[in-house]
Amino acid sequence: GVTFIMKLPDDFGCLVFDEDVMRKRLPENVCCKLKHSVQENFTLDDETCNIIANDMKNWAIEHGATHFTHWFHPLIGISAEKHESFISKNEHGNIIMNFSGKELAKGEADSSSFSSGGLCSTFSAHGHTFWNAASNAFIRGKTLYIPAVFYSHNGEILDDRIPLFKSMKLLNKHALRIFKLFDNVYVKQVFPTVGVEQEYFLIDKKFLKCREDLKLCGRTLFGTTSNKMQEEVKHYLSPIKPRILAYMNELDEELWKLGILSKIKHSEVSPAQYELVSHFSLANIAADQNQLIMEIMQNIAERHGLYCLLHEKPFFGFNGSGKHINWSLATDTGKNLFEPGYTSLKNAQFLLFLCALIKGVDEYQDLLCASAASAGNDLRLGGNEAPCTIMSIFLGEELTEILYSIEKSIDHSEKICINSKFNINIFQKLKSDNLNRNRTSPFAFTGNKFEFRMVGSSMSIAYPITVINTIMANELCQFADILENGSNFDKDLTEIIVNTIKNHKKIIFNGNNYSDEWHLEAKKRHLFNFKTSANAISQLIATKNIEIFEKYKILTKVEISAIYNVLMQNYCQTLHTEVMVMDSMIKKQIIPSTEKYIKVLCDTVLSKKQITAQIDCSAEIQLISLLSTLLSELYNNTDILKENLITSNKIPNLFERSKFYYKKIFSVLNKIRKSADKIEQNIDKKLWPFPSYSDILFEF
C-alpha cells in the first residue's frame, strides 16, 4: 500500500544481514576479517565466528526470528533447509537464546536422502553444510536463513553453488591477465553479472482438486485446445487484473524486504502467463535470489487462492515458460566489458572478450545445451515460442558485418576506424539502442550483454552460469597464454581476433531459428541439434567436457558423472511419473465418464425408438460409435504403455532407458492424449471430469 511505498527506501533489504547491518553491529576488525575471508577464501577463526553468530542471532531475534537454518541447494536444483531453534538451557536450567559460531559455520544433513548420482548411499549418509559468507543471511517468517554449500562426508560436491563460485574465481583470474596485457592497472576484479527474466503461470487453486496432472506433474497431460487461443496476443502487456495485481504487489513487497530488486512485471503472451524481471547482480547472488523468487512466488500464490506453475509447458498449444539469463562481465571500476568503447584500445579489448565468448560457445555448444536440458524443457524448446535445440549466437547485422570485414581486412567505411597500433580495423562505438533483437536466438547479444534464452522456467540458473563462466575463462586463458608468450603483441592480438572469426563464425546466425532452412543450414555447419534433453545431458560425460572441468578444478570426473546421473534420473523419473498419472486419470476418470455418456446416448436412442421406429438416431449412433472406438484405443494404448514402462524399468543404463522412453513411450503417450482430447471435444461438458483449458486459462 501507500504506507509501504513511502517507507520503501528504508524497508528495502530490511530482512537481510547485509554489509550495512554488519558495519553497524560488528566491530570494525571483524567486518574486515569477514570481507577478506570471502575475497581470499580462508576460514575464519572460532572467536570471530562466535562474535558474528551472536550479533546475527540478536539481529534476527529483534526481527522476530526464533529459528535458524542452513539454506543450501542439492544437485536436484531445489532448496533445502533444516530449522533449529535458538532455544537452549544454561547450566542453571534456564531457557536462553543461543547461537554459536560453530552452528553458524557448519551444519549436518542426511546426504543419502538427496539425489547424489551415486556419491552418497545410506551407509555413508553423512553430509555437511558450510556457511557461504559470500551471500547474505536473511529472515523469512520466524527463521534466520544462512546461505550454505553442501559437501559429502568424503569431500565431494553435492550442490550447484560450489562450482559456480569456482567458475567466478577462475573467470576473474584469466580476465585480469587480459587486463594486465592491455596495461590496465586499475581493474582489480572482474565478475559475471546476471539479470533474470522469470516467466510463470497463475491459475486458480481450485483447479488442482480436479486435475491430478497439474497437482503431481505441474502440467496438463490432457486438454484439448480452447475455442479461444493466443493468436490474437491480447494478453501480452495487457492491463493486469486486480486479483493478479494484488498478488504481484505482495510479491514485490516481500522480495524488496529481502533485498531482491524486482524491477519489471507484466502479462506474457499466453493467457494466465506473466513475467518478473529482477535487476542485475553478481552471478552467485542472482542464483540465490532467483531460487528465492521461485519459492516466494509459490508461497504467496497460496495466500491469494492461486497456484503458481513454473513448468516449462503447462498447457498444450499455448506458449510455455522460460527463464532468460542475461549475462555480462563487469569490473570493480564499474565498467561493462561488453560495452564497446569510443577508443580503439577499448574496442580491441571488447573484440577480444567477444571473440573469447564466440569461440567458447562454438566449442562447447553441447555443454551449454546440456545445462538447459530437462524433461519439461523438451516440450518447450524447438517450438515457435522458444529457441530451437540448435545452439547459435545472434550478434545483429551491424556487428556481424564488422567482424567479417575484420576477418577479410575490408574497410567497413562508416563504422571502422583504423587502429595503427594493433594493425586491425576496429569499429567505433556501437549504439545498443540501434541493435535489433532476435527472439528466436538461444544466445543473443543485446547491446552490452548476452541473453541465454534456452533455460527452462523451473530450473536453477547456477549450472548454466557455471558453464558460461568456465568456457569463457578457458578461452581467455588460451588467449592470455598466446599474448604473454608471443614476441609481437600487436600481431598476436590481430591473429587471435581474425582466426577466431574465421574458425568459429559458423556459430553466428542472425536469421529465424524457427525456420526449416536453419535446421538444414546448421547441419551443413556441423552444429549440434539435440532432439531430446537426454541426448544433450549425455554430452556432460563427453571427454572434452570432463577435461575442461577437471583442468580448472571446477568439478572432478566423479562429480560430473554424479551430475549426469542425477539429471538423467530426474529425466526418467519425470516421465515415469507422468505415465503413472496418465494411467490413473484414464482408468479412474476418463473411461468411467465416457462410458457414462455413452450410456446416456444409448438411453436416448432407445427412448426415441420407443416413440417411433422410423425416427432418425444416426447422429447419436455415430457419436456412440466414435466414443466407443476412442475408448478401445485408450484401453489398448494404456496397456501398451504399462508394458513399455515395465520394460523400461528393467534397463539399468539411464541413457538407454531415456532412449527407450523416447522411442517407445512418447509415441504412445501422444496417441493416448489425442484419443482423450477427441473424447473431450465430443462429450457433454458436465460429464467431462476435468476443468477445460477455457475454464483454467480464462478465469480472470
Side-chain angles (χ1 to χ4, degrees):
V2 175
T3 304
F4 180 82
I5 293 172
M6 295 296 290
K7 295 168 59 183
L8 179 55
D10 295 327
D11 284 354
F12 185 83
C14 65
L15 298 180
V16 183
F17 195 74
D18 58 15
E19 190 173 344
D20 289 339
V21 175
M22 285 187 271
R23 278 201 301 263
K24 292 176 183 176
R25 304 187 71 106
L26 295 173
E28 185 176 352
N29 67 315
V30 172
C31 284
C32 289
K33 279 187 179 180
L34 178 58
K35 189 173 183 178
H36 288 148
S37 74
V38 174
Q39 293 174 343
E40 305 299 328
N41 194 30
F42 66 81
T43 304
L44 289 169
D45 58 87
D46 292 344
E47 182 182 356
T48 302
C49 281
N50 282 327
I51 294 171
I52 296 171
N54 187 62
D55 279 349
M56 192 182 288
K57 174 207 68 179
N58 292 338
W59 170 81
I61 291 172
E62 290 168 14
H63 286 79
T66 57
H67 290 68
F68 69 92
T69 181
H70 272 196
W71 182 64
F72 58 103
H73 310 276
L75 293 176
I76 49 178
I78 62 170
S79 299
E81 52 197 63
K82 181 177 74 174
H83 297 226
E84 298 181 49
S85 71
F86 291 123
I87 297 174
S88 62
K89 286 186 177 182
N90 61 16
E91 64 272 17
H92 305 295
N94 298 322
I95 295 296
I96 60 171
M97 302 295 272
N98 189 50
F99 183 51
S100 67
K102 183 179 179 181
E103 290 172 310
L104 168 64
K106 186 177 179 181
E108 294 183 3
D110 182 356
S111 58
S112 71
S113 296
F114 296 105
S115 296
S116 63
L119 289 180
C120 298
S121 56
T122 305
F123 61 83
S124 59
H126 209 42
H128 302 283
T129 57
F130 294 92
W131 173 34
N132 167 26
S135 296
N136 295 318
F138 56 91
I139 294 171
R140 287 185 65 192
K142 291 184 175 295
T143 302
L144 171 67
Y145 282 70
I146 301 159
V149 294
F150 191 33
Y151 282 93
S152 75
H153 186 61
N154 296 322
E156 286 100 351
I157 294 171
L158 294 176
D159 76 355
D160 59 10
R161 294 305 190 268
I162 303 169
L164 175 57
F165 287 123
K166 288 183 175 182
S167 72
M168 292 173 66
K169 186 176 180 181
L170 177 73
L171 185 52
N172 175 61
K173 174 184 176 181
H174 295 295
L176 290 180
R177 290 175 65 192
I178 298 296
F179 273 98
K180 185 177 179 181
L181 289 164
F182 279 88
D183 297 325
N184 190 325
V185 296
Y186 300 104
V187 173
K188 305 298 182 184
Q189 188 177 10
V190 176
F191 44 83
T193 60
V194 171
V196 183
E197 301 169 38
Q198 175 74 56
E199 295 176 340
Y200 61 102
F201 280 81
L202 286 175
I203 64 172
D204 197 297
K205 190 179 175 183
K206 66 186 178 187
F207 296 122
L208 291 185
K209 298 177 182 178
C210 314
R211 296 211 57 132
E212 191 179 8
D213 50 1
L214 277 176
K215 183 162 51 176
L216 298 182
C217 304
R219 76 177 183 100
T220 55
L221 301 176
F222 304 104
T224 186
T225 53
S226 169
N227 291 329
K228 181 179 181 180
M229 296 293 285
Q230 64 183 48
E231 287 86 354
E232 297 173 344
V233 198
K234 287 188 175 181
H235 193 255
Y236 186 62
L237 300 186
S238 64
I240 302 170
K241 298 295 191 295
R243 185 178 176 189
I244 303 299
L245 192 58
Y247 160 83
M248 289 181 168
N249 289 340
E250 185 176 348
L251 176 62
D252 278 341
E253 290 181 11
E254 189 157 339
L255 294 178
W256 289 338
K257 286 178 181 178
L258 291 171
I260 301 172
L261 213 167
S262 170
K263 186 72 174 173
I264 298 171
K265 55 189 178 187
H266 64 83
S267 304
E268 258 296 339
V269 173
S270 289
Q273 187 186 32
Y274 305 92
E275 181 175 276
L276 182 150
V277 181
S278 55
H279 200 270
F280 273 77
S281 55
L282 287 174
N284 62 300
I285 301 299
D288 282 352
Q289 290 186 345
N290 184 252
Q291 204 72 33
L292 270 176
I293 286 170
M294 291 191 289
E295 293 175 20
I296 294 170
M297 274 179 169
Q298 294 179 315
N299 291 341
I300 292 179
E302 292 269 341
R303 299 204 287 265
H304 288 260
L306 301 169
Y307 190 72
C308 177
L309 292 170
L310 293 172
H311 194 283
E312 284 71 27
K313 191 74 170 178
F315 303 101
F316 176 76
F318 291 86
N319 274 18
S321 295
K323 192 197 308 276
H324 304 158
I325 299 176
N326 293 284
W327 179 91
S328 190
L329 292 177
T331 69
D332 56 349
T333 59
K335 301 298 182 182
N336 184 332
L337 297 185
F338 288 110
E339 185 77 56
Y342 286 102
T343 65
S344 59
L345 183 65
K346 289 184 178 179
N347 275 330
Q349 181 179 281
F350 165 81
L351 278 176
L352 192 63
F353 277 91
L354 178 64
C355 286
L357 190 59
I358 291 171
K359 184 171 181 284
V361 172
D362 184 25
E363 292 178 341
Y364 294 94
Q365 49 186 286
D366 55 337
L367 197 53
L368 274 169
C369 289
S371 75
S374 72
N377 228 9
D378 265 356
L379 303 170
R380 166 181 165 263
L381 294 179
N384 289 346
E385 62 181 73
C388 67
T389 51
I390 304 166
M391 181 57 65
S392 64
I393 294 179
F394 167 82
L395 294 179
E397 291 183 8
E398 185 178 17
L399 182 52
T400 303
E401 288 175 9
I402 291 168
L403 292 183
Y404 289 172
S405 66
I406 292 173
E407 176 200 357
K408 298 172 184 177
S409 299
I410 299 171
D411 183 11
H412 193 67
S413 59
E414 295 182 359
K415 295 156 189 162
I416 292 290
C417 61
I418 303 300
N419 181 351
S420 57
K421 179 179 179 182
F422 297 110
N423 195 29
I424 55 176
N425 294 332
I426 301 177
F427 58 91
Q428 295 174 339
K429 184 168 178 64
L430 181 71
K431 295 180 180 178
S432 59
D433 291 343
N434 293 336
L435 187 70
N436 194 12
R437 295 196 175 194
N438 188 331
R439 295 299 184 187
T440 72
S441 175
F443 208 88
F445 182 62
T446 55
N448 56 11
K449 56 185 171 60
F450 283 86
E451 184 180 16
F452 187 23
R453 297 174 58 85
M454 291 181 75
V455 182
S457 173
S458 64
M459 300 176 70
S460 166
I461 66 172
Y463 183 56
I465 299 172
T466 299
V467 171
I468 298 172
N469 291 347
T470 303
I471 63 177
M472 182 68 177
N474 177 58
E475 306 305 339
L476 291 177
C477 176
Q478 293 179 18
F479 289 175
D481 287 345
I482 295 170
L483 294 172
E484 288 169 351
N485 297 317
S487 58
N488 188 323
F489 179 82
D490 298 351
K491 180 183 177 183
D492 293 338
L493 177 63
T494 302
E495 287 181 355
I496 286 174
I497 293 174
V498 171
N499 289 337
T500 299
I501 298 168
K502 183 181 300 182
N503 296 329
H504 301 283
K505 62 185 177 183
K506 68 177 184 292
I507 200 70
I508 301 170
F509 179 67
N510 297 325
N512 182 4
N513 285 251
Y514 296 162
S515 67
D516 294 336
E517 290 78 10
W518 169 231
H519 283 256
L520 296 174
E521 173 62 24
K523 188 175 182 179
K524 292 178 183 177
R525 298 187 188 190
H526 303 290
L527 301 181
F528 284 104
N529 185 1
F530 300 109
K531 298 300 183 182
T532 72
S533 283
N535 288 327
I537 293 169
S538 68
Q539 295 300 305
L540 275 177
I541 52 177
T543 301
K544 72 177 182 66
N545 294 333
I546 292 175
E547 286 176 351
I548 188 175
F549 283 128
E550 285 202 307
K551 176 182 178 181
Y552 297 108
K553 299 181 179 179
I554 305 297
L555 291 162
T556 66
K557 183 177 182 179
V558 171
E559 290 163 346
I560 298 166
S561 297
I563 293 172
Y564 163 80
N565 282 316
V566 168
L567 292 177
M568 204 64 85
Q569 284 171 357
N570 285 350
Y571 183 85
C572 293
Q573 186 57 52
T574 297
L575 298 177
H576 181 274
T577 300
E578 291 182 355
V579 169
M580 298 303 292
V581 171
M582 179 175 271
D583 180 72
S584 173
M585 292 175 74
I586 289 168
K587 291 179 177 176
K588 295 179 181 179
Q589 294 177 287
I590 293 177
I591 289 176
S593 297
T594 308
E595 288 178 337
K596 188 180 294 185
Y597 187 51
I598 289 174
K599 184 178 184 305
V600 169
L601 292 172
C602 289
D603 290 344
T604 301
V605 172
L606 290 174
S607 298
K608 286 184 175 183
K609 290 295 185 181
Q610 287 176 355
I611 298 172
T612 171
Q614 283 71 41
I615 196 167
D616 184 9
C617 298
S618 58
E620 289 87 347
I621 293 171
Q622 286 180 9
L623 189 52
I624 290 169
S625 176
L626 172 63
L627 293 174
S628 298
T629 301
L630 292 171
L631 269 186
S632 296
E633 290 176 1
L634 282 181
Y635 274 116
N636 294 335
N637 285 323
T638 303
D639 288 341
I640 294 171
L641 190 65
K642 291 299 288 290
E643 289 174 6
N644 286 344
L645 193 62
I646 292 170
T647 302
S648 71
N649 291 333
K650 295 178 182 178
I651 302 174
N653 183 284
L654 288 171
F655 181 55
E656 292 302 319
R657 189 187 305 175
S658 72
K659 289 198 296 185
F660 183 86
Y661 268 111
Y662 184 71
K663 292 179 180 178
K664 298 292 185 179
I665 292 181
F666 274 166
S667 58
V668 183
L669 284 173
N670 291 332
K671 288 178 182 177
I672 289 173
R673 175 160 198 157
K674 286 179 181 178
S675 298
D677 289 353
K678 198 163 185 179
I679 290 175
E680 182 184 357
Q681 292 171 335
N682 290 279
I683 197 173
D684 186 340
K685 182 176 173 61
K686 294 178 182 178
L687 291 178
W688 186 246
F690 319 124
S692 68
Y693 278 7
S694 296
D695 295 330
I696 298 172
L697 295 174
F698 297 96
E699 172 78 6
F700 308 111

